[in-house]
Amino acid sequence: MSSTYGTLFKISTFGESHGAGIGVIIDGCPAGLTFDTDFIQHDLDRRKPGQSRITTQRREADEFEVLSGVFEGVTQGTPIALVIRNTDQRSKDYGHIAQQFRPSHADYTYQAKYGTRDYRGGGRSSARETAARVAAGAVAKLLLQGQGVHIQAYVSQVGKLKLEKSYADMDLAVAEENAVRCPDPETAERMFALIDETRKKGDSIGGMVDCVITGVPAGWGEPVFDKLHAELGKAMLSINAVKGFEYGSGFAGAEQYGSEHNDEFYTDEAGQVRTKTNQSGGIQGGISNGETIYFRTAFKPVATIMQDQDSVDSAGNAVVVSGKGRHDPCVVPRAVPIVEAMAALVLADMWLRSRANK
Amino acid sequence: MSSTYGTLFKISTFGESHGAGIGVIIDGCPAGLTFDTDFIQHDLDRRKPGQSRITTQRREADEFEVLSGVFEGVTQGTPIALVIRNTDQRSKDYGHIAQQFRPSHADYTYQAKYGTRDYRGGGRSSARETAARVAAGAVAKLLLQGQGVHIQAYVSQVGKLKLEKSYADMDLAVAEENAVRCPDPETAERMFALIDETRKKGDSIGGMVDCVITGVPAGWGEPVFDKLHAELGKAMLSINAVKGFEYGSGFAGAEQYGSEHNDEFYTDEAGQVRTKTNQSGGIQGGISNGETIYFRTAFKPVATIMQDQDSVDSAGNAVVVSGKGRHDPCVVPRAVPIVEAMAALVLADMWLRSRANK
Amino acid sequence: MSSTYGTLFKISTFGESHGAGIGVIIDGCPAGLTFDTDFIQHDLDRRKPGQSRITTQRREADEFEVLSGVFEGVTQGTPIALVIRNTDQRSKDYGHIAQQFRPSHADYTYQAKYGTRDYRGGGRSSARETAARVAAGAVAKLLLQGQGVHIQAYVSQVGKLKLEKSYADMDLAVAEENAVRCPDPETAERMFALIDETRKKGDSIGGMVDCVITGVPAGWGEPVFDKLHAELGKAMLSINAVKGFEYGSGFAGAEQYGSEHNDEFYTDEAGQVRTKTNQSGGIQGGISNGETIYFRTAFKPVATIMQDQDSVDSAGNAVVVSGKGRHDPCVVPRAVPIVEAMAALVLADMWLRSRANK
Amino acid sequence: MSSTYGTLFKISTFGESHGAGIGVIIDGCPAGLTFDTDFIQHDLDRRKPGQSRITTQRREADEFEVLSGVFEGVTQGTPIALVIRNTDQRSKDYGHIAQQFRPSHADYTYQAKYGTRDYRGGGRSSARETAARVAAGAVAKLLLQGQGVHIQAYVSQVGKLKLEKSYADMDLAVAEENAVRCPDPETAERMFALIDETRKKGDSIGGMVDCVITGVPAGWGEPVFDKLHAELGKAMLSINAVKGFEYGSGFAGAEQYGSEHNDEFYTDEAGQVRTKTNQSGGIQGGISNGETIYFRTAFKPVATIMQDQDSVDSAGNAVVVSGKGRHDPCVVPRAVPIVEAMAALVLADMWLRSRANK
């Protein structure tokens, strides 16, 4: 009941880490969109495991099959079903946790909620589910491209190591040229070293992903509960390991005076109403104002570490959980396409909603 | 289409700042709940304007009328309609902005989206709408009290002035004893002085509200998109002026290693599975784990200031907007009951959902 | 949780028969619509009690107040809240049924579901709730008028007395000229006599309302579950006392061969694709085809009769329920505007949805 | 956006007649249900083509694969994805209608709505989609069996040939013993002959499916818009070829007086409140009353016939569409499990809703 997102561009994902496969139905994608499979596969490749030595070594091709909704290369307005088979499930790696709760994983809470759980690789709570989001998000991106909207996320922090430059002062496309996905090559190198060192220690480390969206005209977003930034926040917080979200000035805005925080208006040469600053992060009253949309998402360190930890088993007895299985020492490089995908899903939905209730 | 929140405990709010009134329909409140009008009015009183010299001087009684859903003092399972009349609308105060866009308000974006707007006091975008949320949230609180759930928010920051103590080290009830709603009396006094000084300068200032929830058993919350913290995040971000949300370790968690961040499990004397630390903020995999739920919400400085600001009018001409109208120099003291209300609405909904799909 | 209808043009009603009042929030009505209060009041007057001696003698002005969503006579895209006060509640008339279940009313089922009920006049289950629908439906009609859509319902049957003419062979506007709302004056007179005779016997009688909708272009409606006729069916069946729904050929279609039932296509002089016949009732595959939309709704006799009936009380003891209170001997004359209102709500929603996902 | 049904037991179907496959995601099925694949396959077999000479000769194994949501034979509370591959697509049979609109099919309306369509076998509008509903409905039946609910549909009419006996006077299980699925063997034989004769003429014929549901306790269903019978009506009307729905006394109820229509209450030996008659069809005020739920669904004759028909092509030119492809001469025998499936989906949803908002 909670695996569905969106009001008009609606996705429903399914699948467990070690089941037959995962996938998504997109219901509400307008007809007539050219369905660019290479584009979609490219985003899946950006998320897939095994891209470098700082990501998990699980091997998944993450190739998708289109079961419906596309005819002669074009969307039909009917549900688009995409399936990705699981191929490298080493379920036996997980036998030892069938009766144990791994710290800061969802093992205990799923058991408490459902009275049962597919313990293999985290089952439904695995971040593997996000591959389905990335596939759906890529379709949303295709739709938004037709509206001139461009979405670019990048890594801005790993542990205490922070990228100090503003998004406005960098060529964000550079982020795709390194394994960390940081648009500043020098910082990227230091981040890579930090993650690799963490990996060698059998530890994990947190980080931050920033997202920049251009081309959204004024008027997207819904007032009151479904504010554009509220939906973006929910979407980001629904990604595994996310602990915080801020947009525009964010938490720093709480420290400011109104006289320094307010974005004054002016009219540019093209006759367009603009703001002099962008503390609003492109959103005012929950509705886009035509400026660049900017938000940040904080990720905790991955819960799986290669170290012994205290825990309990299903019967409540004290146990020591030892780290096994494959995992990412830092999730943010692979999280970049996930953040973009969720942003695309929110914006595609808001665009359709703005068409309906204009 | 976006003034509705919730899946099973569903609220729909209505009303503009200077219209006839505001209100809310609650659809899905279970039957048989004793409808404590004093309790609800008390929460409205905590939010209402004019409580001290550091809040807006608009005078609203904020008394509510029950139009439906309650019979002989008990809820009937049918929609509960609550109406609050606007009484102190000084619409003439706003004539000067009918054709001007106030910086960092929603004037421009509403106009862009709808092609029209009720400019009086911000119309629908006014924080006056939150009174309806507080009324509905109070009903949700009554429902949750029956489940042993207690929700307490408080001010933890005003501008750069931060409360350094943890929620675990304070008597949070003290927050209600001062005008700022900070549980540390000494810090509260300094915060009051800072807000008052800001007011005198005709400026405004941002701040932070923390929220602590006890008594939620393990198992509330829905996986994947409607994770408990994702819904809390959306709910908070939907409140006017909110710029960021974090739960548990939050943004600080991004700086940590897994070995320091993970919450190890143990079994307490009562045989209950517990965690040694609470970086998870009471939520793992989007589902409550029985520990204290803890989150923080960042508020920007109120956009209305008593200073001249550059802007444009509807025709795009440069204008100077001068500060008029009544406003809060700092929104966080009055935001405390709003944060609680939204948290209550999320939890009531999650409780009902957990009953359905257990 | 079930007092809300619609996806994009969404209404939420509230109120009990003998509470303070009833009303509706319309969320999703586009901005810029001229809000014609006279038009809305006119539809409420068509539904209100006491119009002639064949309707209930309860006296309700059924005047509505606009609490929000309209500014300077124009909708703002924000929720429109309409409230109708109850003024002629004779709750004491219902004391005798506080502990008794009236046959074929909802007394027993509400008690079974909620463990409590507002017994006065049926509480929430009263058809009084439909006044809120009529008000909202009138707003939907205003919206649809701008699209050239016209909705006209009429009484086609009272008891066994059936109007034999097709909608295509009558001037439907004539229906509004008589108390029964039958477009054939001679049949209307006989129907009036039958209802009046039924009234004198303290009995009630069933009937049928047909509905004819013109001006809907091809392409409105959603495939699979939300087919246009499925939504119309649900909307009609949600009206008190409705027992059946059919569209186009309806139940008679079940008796036919495909060779006689199929609607062959042709192109008319204007170059428009048309069908030679209209067994499809204007809808094919759940989507409008540009022909006249036609459906029929069957109403049972009103459950309240002025005769003694066997029943049980809350404790399960046998009792005799004697008819008291005011009631309609036949519901269909007043049901005509309700059927139109629900049809308008369905179509307004489908129109907005067709704009979004085209 | 319209391929999803249900509030808490939510299904989303996908797939076209001649695409790679069809399927369904069930989101909201409680954890812990034994997933009986044989039971599900059995219902799919009841619906599948090629069961006798009076059904279409398309050959589909209609075997399903479980992609997620089931672990060690038990549901996990997570989305259950079921996929059925299309195997006998003879798409070349449909080349002739790529540019033609078949009378009383959805070819024209899909084209009008989407500007494109998958013309092969009707694409998304094909009744093949209902296999996904049957699979999901079988899961719902499994869930309901645990509550003692039993659902049985049967054919009550083919063309003008009507079964005159009441459901109460027959052994409904007999319906499954003949190809027509009529519980009266003698009538079944005559129906079979009528359908076979129709088939030989290259024609099709309409019919009726009745449905009987026992074991539903008093209190399921939601008042106002989501009345139990309104949801059943929508669910039935969403099935291809359905033209009408009635429950309890249905259209015949419109002919009656209240004094003959009302269901008087009594208390049975077991102390249970019951009604003497069941004109209400087990539902009062939209909520089950504990009696047998009974409704009827009218199906038009299948639109595909083996005869020449007038039509137009995409350019509006007059053409003659000649009957090709495989089809059912009468849809009702195969519709029986579809009606049951939709009824099961409605009831499973209502059961979960009644658990939440009790």
Side-chain angles (χ1 to χ4, degrees):
Chain A
M1 226 268 304
S2 60
S3 287
T4 297
Y5 180 78
T7 297
L8 290 177
F9 192 95
K10 187 179 285 192
I11 68 163
S12 299
T13 72
F14 63 86
E16 284 90 32
S17 179
H18 288 62
I22 62 169
V24 62
I25 299 178
I26 306 167
D27 195 5
C29 182
L33 178 70
T34 299
F35 192 83
D36 185 338
T37 52
D38 290 345
F39 181 87
I40 299 165
Q41 188 62 54
H42 176 68
D43 258 9
L44 281 170
D45 290 347
R46 292 171 69 210
R47 194 214 72 98
K48 82 175 173 190
Q51 297 177 59
S52 78
R53 75 169 183 265
I54 60 164
T55 60
T56 175
Q57 297 308 302
R58 179 171 173 167
R59 297 278 166 204
E60 287 290 351
D62 278 359
E63 284 167 1
F64 68 99
E65 182 187 12
V66 184
L67 290 183
S68 69
V70 180
F71 178 55
E72 298 179 340
V74 173
T75 61
Q76 298 294 306
T78 56
I80 301 168
L82 308 177
V83 172
I84 299 167
R85 295 276 165 180
N86 292 329
T87 56
D88 187 25
Q89 312 107 302
R90 296 194 197 154
S91 302
K92 62 180 182 315
D93 286 3
Y94 293 93
H96 69 298
I97 56 148
Q99 302 301 329
Q100 297 183 350
F101 302 130
R102 293 169 299 165
S104 288
H105 275 278
D107 301 340
Y108 171 65
T109 53
Y110 268 65
Q111 188 73 38
K113 181 176 180 63
Y114 295 116
T116 180
R117 70 192 159 101
D118 179 349
Y119 55 80
R120 302 166 302 167
R124 181 69 180 149
S125 74
S126 166
R128 177 140 187 75
E129 180 266 345
T130 58
R133 303 188 188 200
V134 168
V139 178
K141 280 184 184 177
L142 287 170
L143 193 65
L144 291 166
Q145 280 177 0
Q147 300 301 306
V149 173
H150 182 74
I151 301 170
Q152 173 77 57
Y154 61 89
V155 169
S156 64
Q157 182 179 329
V158 172
K160 291 182 158 59
L161 180 51
K162 299 178 187 179
L163 174 66
E164 300 294 349
K165 294 179 186 162
S166 158
Y167 67 85
D169 301 328
M170 295 180 291
D171 176 3
L172 302 183
V174 171
E176 292 301 311
E177 296 170 8
N178 58 68
V180 178
R181 293 208 168 85
C182 173
D184 184 65
E186 188 266 338
T187 309
E189 227 167 289
R190 291 165 56 212
M191 286 174 170
F192 189 96
L194 176 56
I195 297 172
D196 202 33
E197 175 194 331
T198 303
R199 178 184 67 82
K200 286 173 186 158
K201 290 191 293 190
D203 211 339
S204 65
I205 193 164
M208 194 90 75
V209 176
D210 289 21
C211 188
V212 172
I213 305 168
T214 56
V216 176
W220 291 15
E222 302 287 326
V224 189
F225 295 111
D226 298 353
K227 290 184 165 84
L228 178 48
H229 58 269
E231 288 293 338
L232 285 169
K234 174 180 172 177
M236 297 309 138
L237 287 157
S238 78
I239 300 172
N240 302 47
V242 171
K243 300 292 291 191
F245 170 88
E246 62 179 2
Y247 79 103
S249 61
F251 279 79
E255 302 189 358
Q256 292 184 295
Y257 287 101
S259 55
E260 48 185 341
H261 189 275
N262 282 356
D263 295 319
E264 292 185 312
F265 287 107
Y266 72 101
T267 303
D268 70 11
E269 319 79 61
Q272 181 63 41
V273 173
R274 301 288 309 276
T275 61
K276 295 181 186 175
T277 48
N278 189 19
Q279 307 256 34
S280 300
I283 304 171
Q284 290 173 326
I287 302 169
S288 61
N289 68 355
E291 302 296 323
T292 297
I293 293 173
Y294 171 66
F295 63 83
R296 292 157 51 83
T297 304
F299 289 79
K300 71 169 186 175
V302 173
T304 301
I305 55 175
M306 297 298 104
Q307 302 182 2
D308 286 354
Q309 296 176 89
D310 289 344
S311 190
V312 297
D313 63 17
S314 306
N317 301 314
V319 295
V320 172
V321 174
S322 49
K324 286 189 194 167
R326 300 154 296 184
H327 79 295
D328 289 271
C330 182
V331 82
V332 287
R334 289 177 61 205
V336 165
I338 305 170
V339 165
E340 290 177 10
M342 291 311 299
L345 290 166
V346 169
L347 285 166
D349 196 42
M350 286 297 175
W351 175 49
L352 297 186
R353 291 175 75 170
S354 75
R355 292 213 298 191
N357 285 92
K358 66 190 164 193
Chain B
M1 224 269 303
S2 60
S3 288
T4 298
Y5 180 79
T7 297
L8 291 177
F9 193 96
K10 188 178 287 192
I11 69 163
S12 299
T13 72
F14 63 86
E16 284 88 34
S17 179
H18 289 61
I22 62 169
V24 62
I25 300 179
I26 306 168
D27 194 6
C29 182
L33 178 71
T34 299
F35 193 82
D36 184 339
T37 52
D38 290 345
F39 181 87
I40 300 165
Q41 188 62 55
H42 177 68
D43 258 9
L44 281 169
D45 290 347
R46 292 172 70 209
R47 193 214 74 98
K48 83 175 175 189
Q51 298 177 58
S52 77
R53 73 169 184 267
I54 60 166
T55 60
T56 175
Q57 296 309 303
R58 179 169 174 169
R59 297 276 166 204
E60 288 289 351
D62 278 358
E63 284 167 2
F64 68 99
E65 181 186 13
V66 184
L67 290 183
S68 68
V70 180
F71 178 54
E72 298 178 342
V74 173
T75 62
Q76 298 294 306
T78 56
I80 301 167
L82 308 177
V83 173
I84 300 166
R85 296 276 163 179
N86 292 329
T87 56
D88 187 25
Q89 311 108 301
R90 296 197 196 150
S91 302
K92 63 182 184 313
D93 284 3
Y94 294 93
H96 68 297
I97 57 149
Q99 302 300 329
Q100 297 183 350
F101 302 129
R102 293 169 299 163
S104 290
H105 274 279
D107 301 340
Y108 172 64
T109 53
Y110 268 66
Q111 187 72 40
K113 181 176 181 66
Y114 295 115
T116 179
R117 70 191 160 100
D118 179 349
Y119 55 81
R120 301 167 303 165
R124 181 69 180 148
S125 75
S126 166
R128 178 140 186 74
E129 181 267 344
T130 58
R133 304 187 188 201
V134 168
V139 178
K141 280 183 184 178
L142 287 171
L143 193 64
L144 291 164
Q145 281 177 359
Q147 300 300 306
V149 173
H150 182 74
I151 300 171
Q152 172 78 57
Y154 61 90
V155 170
S156 64
Q157 182 178 327
V158 171
K160 289 182 162 58
L161 181 50
K162 299 177 188 181
L163 174 65
E164 301 294 349
K165 293 180 187 161
S166 159
Y167 67 84
D169 302 329
M170 295 181 291
D171 176 4
L172 302 184
V174 171
E176 293 300 312
E177 295 170 7
N178 59 68
V180 179
R181 293 208 168 84
C182 173
D184 184 66
E186 188 266 339
T187 309
E189 228 167 287
R190 291 165 56 211
M191 286 173 169
F192 189 96
L194 176 54
I195 298 172
D196 202 33
E197 174 193 332
T198 302
R199 179 183 69 81
K200 287 173 187 157
K201 288 192 293 191
D203 211 340
S204 64
I205 193 163
M208 193 91 73
V209 175
D210 291 21
C211 188
V212 173
I213 306 168
T214 56
V216 176
W220 291 15
E222 302 287 326
V224 187
F225 295 111
D226 297 354
K227 289 184 165 86
L228 178 48
H229 59 267
E231 289 294 338
L232 285 169
K234 175 179 170 176
M236 297 309 138
L237 288 156
S238 78
I239 300 171
N240 304 43
V242 171
K243 302 291 290 193
F245 170 88
E246 62 180 3
Y247 79 104
S249 62
F251 278 79
E255 303 190 357
Q256 293 185 295
Y257 288 101
S259 54
E260 49 184 340
H261 189 275
N262 281 358
D263 294 321
E264 293 185 311
F265 287 107
Y266 72 102
T267 302
D268 70 10
E269 320 78 61
Q272 181 63 41
V273 173
R274 302 286 311 275
T275 61
K276 296 181 188 177
T277 48
N278 189 18
Q279 306 257 32
S280 299
I283 305 171
Q284 291 174 323
I287 302 168
S288 61
N289 68 355
E291 302 295 325
T292 296
I293 293 174
Y294 172 65
F295 64 83
R296 290 158 51 84
T297 303
F299 290 80
K300 69 169 188 177
V302 173
T304 300
I305 55 176
M306 297 299 103
Q307 303 182 2
D308 286 354
Q309 297 177 88
D310 289 343
S311 189
V312 299
D313 64 16
S314 305
N317 301 315
V319 294
V320 172
V321 175
S322 49
K324 285 189 195 166
R326 299 153 295 183
H327 80 296
D328 289 272
C330 181
V331 82
V332 288
R334 289 178 61 207
V336 165
I338 306 171
V339 165
E340 290 177 7
M342 291 310 299
L345 290 166
V346 169
L347 285 166
D349 197 41
M350 286 296 176
W351 175 50
L352 297 186
R353 290 174 74 170
S354 75
R355 292 211 301 190
N357 285 91
K358 66 188 165 197
Chain C
M1 222 267 305
S2 59
S3 288
T4 298
Y5 180 79
T7 297
L8 291 176
F9 192 96
K10 189 178 284 193
I11 68 163
S12 299
T13 71
F14 63 86
E16 285 89 32
S17 178
H18 289 62
I22 62 170
V24 62
I25 300 178
I26 306 168
D27 194 6
C29 183
L33 178 71
T34 300
F35 193 82
D36 184 339
T37 52
D38 290 344
F39 181 86
I40 300 165
Q41 189 62 56
H42 177 68
D43 258 9
L44 281 170
D45 291 345
R46 291 172 70 210
R47 194 214 73 98
K48 84 174 172 189
Q51 298 176 58
S52 77
R53 75 169 183 265
I54 60 165
T55 60
T56 176
Q57 296 308 302
R58 179 169 173 169
R59 298 276 163 204
E60 289 289 352
D62 278 358
E63 283 166 3
F64 68 100
E65 183 187 12
V66 184
L67 290 183
S68 68
V70 179
F71 178 55
E72 298 179 342
V74 173
T75 61
Q76 297 294 307
T78 56
I80 302 166
L82 308 178
V83 172
I84 300 167
R85 296 275 166 181
N86 293 329
T87 56
D88 187 25
Q89 311 109 299
R90 296 194 196 153
S91 302
K92 63 181 183 311
D93 286 2
Y94 293 93
H96 69 299
I97 57 150
Q99 302 301 329
Q100 297 184 349
F101 302 130
R102 292 168 300 163
S104 289
H105 275 279
D107 301 339
Y108 172 64
T109 53
Y110 268 65
Q111 187 72 39
K113 181 177 181 66
Y114 295 114
T116 179
R117 71 193 158 97
D118 179 349
Y119 55 81
R120 302 166 302 167
R124 181 69 179 149
S125 75
S126 166
R128 176 138 188 78
E129 180 266 346
T130 58
R133 305 187 188 201
V134 168
V139 179
K141 280 183 183 177
L142 287 170
L143 193 65
L144 292 165
Q145 281 176 0
Q147 300 300 307
V149 173
H150 182 74
I151 301 171
Q152 172 77 57
Y154 61 89
V155 170
S156 65
Q157 182 179 328
V158 172
K160 291 183 160 59
L161 180 51
K162 300 179 188 180
L163 174 65
E164 300 294 349
K165 292 179 187 164
S166 158
Y167 67 84
D169 301 329
M170 294 181 291
D171 177 3
L172 302 184
V174 172
E176 292 300 312
E177 296 170 8
N178 59 68
V180 179
R181 293 207 168 87
C182 173
D184 184 66
E186 188 265 340
T187 308
E189 226 165 290
R190 292 165 56 210
M191 287 173 168
F192 189 96
L194 175 55
I195 298 171
D196 201 34
E197 175 192 334
T198 302
R199 179 183 67 80
K200 286 172 189 161
K201 288 190 294 190
D203 211 340
S204 65
I205 193 164
M208 192 92 74
V209 175
D210 291 21
C211 188
V212 172
I213 306 168
T214 57
V216 176
W220 290 15
E222 301 288 324
V224 188
F225 294 112
D226 298 353
K227 290 184 166 84
L228 178 48
H229 59 267
E231 288 293 340
L232 286 169
K234 175 179 171 177
M236 297 308 137
L237 287 156
S238 77
I239 301 171
N240 304 43
V242 170
K243 301 292 290 190
F245 170 86
E246 61 180 3
Y247 79 103
S249 61
F251 278 80
E255 302 190 356
Q256 292 184 296
Y257 287 101
S259 54
E260 48 183 342
H261 189 274
N262 282 357
D263 294 320
E264 293 185 310
F265 287 107
Y266 72 101
T267 304
D268 70 11
E269 318 79 62
Q272 181 63 42
V273 173
R274 303 287 310 276
T275 60
K276 295 181 187 175
T277 47
N278 189 18
Q279 306 258 32
S280 300
I283 304 170
Q284 290 174 325
I287 303 167
S288 62
N289 68 356
E291 303 295 325
T292 297
I293 293 174
Y294 172 65
F295 65 82
R296 291 156 53 82
T297 303
F299 291 79
K300 71 169 186 176
V302 174
T304 301
I305 56 176
M306 297 299 104
Q307 304 182 1
D308 286 355
Q309 298 177 88
D310 289 345
S311 190
V312 298
D313 64 18
S314 305
N317 301 314
V319 295
V320 172
V321 175
S322 48
K324 285 189 195 167
R326 299 154 295 182
H327 79 296
D328 289 272
C330 181
V331 82
V332 287
R334 289 177 60 206
V336 164
I338 305 170
V339 165
E340 290 176 9
M342 292 309 300
L345 291 166
V346 169
L347 285 165
D349 196 43
M350 286 296 175
W351 175 50
L352 297 186
R353 291 174 74 170
S354 75
R355 292 212 299 190
N357 285 91
K358 68 190 165 194
Chain D
M1 225 265 305
S2 60
S3 287
T4 298
Y5 180 79
T7 297
L8 291 176
F9 193 96
K10 188 179 283 193
I11 68 164
S12 299
T13 72
F14 63 87
E16 285 89 32
S17 178
H18 289 63
I22 63 170
V24 62
I25 300 179
I26 306 168
D27 195 5
C29 182
L33 178 71
T34 299
F35 193 81
D36 184 339
T37 53
D38 290 344
F39 181 87
I40 299 165
Q41 188 62 56
H42 176 68
D43 257 9
L44 282 170
D45 291 346
R46 290 172 71 209
R47 195 216 71 99
K48 84 175 173 188
Q51 298 177 59
S52 77
R53 77 170 182 263
I54 60 165
T55 60
T56 175
Q57 296 309 301
R58 179 168 175 170
R59 297 278 165 202
E60 289 288 352
D62 277 359
E63 284 167 0
F64 68 99
E65 182 187 12
V66 184
L67 290 183
S68 69
V70 179
F71 178 55
E72 299 179 339
V74 173
T75 61
Q76 297 294 307
T78 56
I80 302 167
L82 307 178
V83 172
I84 300 167
R85 296 276 166 179
N86 292 329
T87 57
D88 187 26
Q89 313 106 301
R90 294 193 197 156
S91 300
K92 64 183 183 310
D93 286 3
Y94 293 93
H96 70 296
I97 57 149
Q99 302 301 329
Q100 296 183 353
F101 301 129
R102 292 169 300 164
S104 289
H105 275 278
D107 302 340
Y108 171 65
T109 53
Y110 268 65
Q111 187 72 40
K113 181 175 182 63
Y114 295 115
T116 179
R117 71 193 157 99
D118 179 349
Y119 55 80
R120 301 166 304 165
R124 181 69 180 149
S125 74
S126 167
R128 179 142 187 74
E129 180 266 346
T130 57
R133 304 188 188 199
V134 168
V139 178
K141 280 184 185 178
L142 287 170
L143 193 65
L144 292 166
Q145 281 177 1
Q147 299 301 308
V149 174
H150 182 73
I151 301 172
Q152 172 77 56
Y154 61 89
V155 170
S156 65
Q157 182 179 327
V158 172
K160 290 183 161 60
L161 180 51
K162 299 178 188 180
L163 174 65
E164 300 295 349
K165 293 178 187 163
S166 158
Y167 67 84
D169 302 328
M170 295 181 292
D171 176 4
L172 302 184
V174 172
E176 291 300 311
E177 295 170 8
N178 59 66
V180 179
R181 291 204 171 89
C182 173
D184 184 66
E186 188 264 340
T187 309
E189 226 166 288
R190 291 164 57 208
M191 285 174 169
F192 188 96
L194 176 55
I195 298 172
D196 202 34
E197 178 194 330
T198 302
R199 179 184 68 80
K200 286 173 186 159
K201 288 192 293 190
D203 211 338
S204 66
I205 193 163
M208 193 90 74
V209 175
D210 290 21
C211 188
V212 172
I213 305 168
T214 57
V216 176
W220 291 14
E222 301 288 325
V224 188
F225 294 113
D226 298 353
K227 290 184 166 84
L228 178 48
H229 58 267
E231 289 294 337
L232 286 169
K234 175 179 170 178
M236 297 307 137
L237 287 156
S238 77
I239 301 172
N240 304 45
V242 170
K243 302 291 292 190
F245 170 88
E246 61 179 3
Y247 80 104
S249 62
F251 278 79
E255 302 191 357
Q256 292 184 297
Y257 287 101
S259 55
E260 48 185 341
H261 189 275
N262 282 358
D263 294 319
E264 293 185 310
F265 287 107
Y266 72 101
T267 303
D268 69 11
E269 318 80 60
Q272 180 64 42
V273 173
R274 303 288 309 277
T275 61
K276 296 181 187 176
T277 48
N278 189 18
Q279 306 259 31
S280 299
I283 305 170
Q284 290 174 325
I287 302 169
S288 61
N289 68 355
E291 302 295 324
T292 297
I293 293 175
Y294 172 66
F295 64 82
R296 292 157 51 84
T297 304
F299 290 79
K300 71 170 188 176
V302 173
T304 301
I305 56 175
M306 296 298 102
Q307 303 181 2
D308 287 354
Q309 296 177 89
D310 289 343
S311 189
V312 299
D313 63 17
S314 306
N317 301 314
V319 294
V320 172
V321 175
S322 48
K324 284 188 195 167
R326 298 154 297 184
H327 79 294
D328 289 271
C330 182
V331 81
V332 287
R334 289 178 61 205
V336 164
I338 305 171
V339 164
E340 290 176 8
M342 292 309 301
L345 291 165
V346 169
L347 285 166
D349 197 42
M350 286 297 174
W351 175 49
L352 297 185
R353 292 175 74 171
S354 75
R355 291 213 298 191
N357 285 92
K358 66 192 167 193

